Amino acid sequence: MNNTRTLAEAHADFDVLMSRVTRSRERIAITDQGLVAAVLINPLDLADLEDALAVAEYQLSKERGTLKPAIPHDEVRRLLGLR
């Protein structure tokens, strides 16, 4: 973790911490009684992590042979009312 703040410190400096996360994509851990309770993270970093997780889960399902059947394009169009 790049940076750690106690809950009291994070509360007192929340606007500054948010600005740092937004501008520099810094991750800031917030601790409560010595344990990490939360992490401030830029939404773009979160999206990247979620994408990487989805790809890893897909690859694992593919390797295990447990992929769910795909929905045909025509069915997706019908469901979306694009037909």
Side-chain angles (χ1 to χ4, degrees):
M1 195 62 47
N2 293 349
N3 211 334
T4 303
R5 294 285 188 268
T6 66
L7 185 57
E9 292 168 336
H11 181 66
D13 296 328
F14 193 71
D15 56 337
V16 173
L17 298 177
M18 288 294 295
S19 180
R20 286 169 48 186
V21 167
T22 301
R23 279 188 270 145
S24 68
R25 295 178 81 159
E26 182 178 349
R27 294 179 191 161
I28 300 172
I30 300 172
T31 61
D32 186 16
Q33 299 181 11
L35 300 173
V36 175
V39 178
L40 295 177
I41 184 172
N42 185 291
L44 297 174
D45 289 336
L46 178 60
D48 290 346
L49 290 169
E50 290 173 336
D51 288 346
L53 177 60
V55 169
E57 289 173 339
Y58 169 82
Q59 290 172 337
L60 183 60
S61 292
K62 187 175 175 182
E63 288 172 13
R64 290 180 174 168
T66 58
L67 281 177
K68 296 178 183 173
I71 300 174
H73 287 144
D74 289 342
E75 178 67 7
V76 172
R77 284 188 195 94
R78 187 188 68 73
L79 291 170
L80 293 174
L82 300 175
R83 247 182 174 189

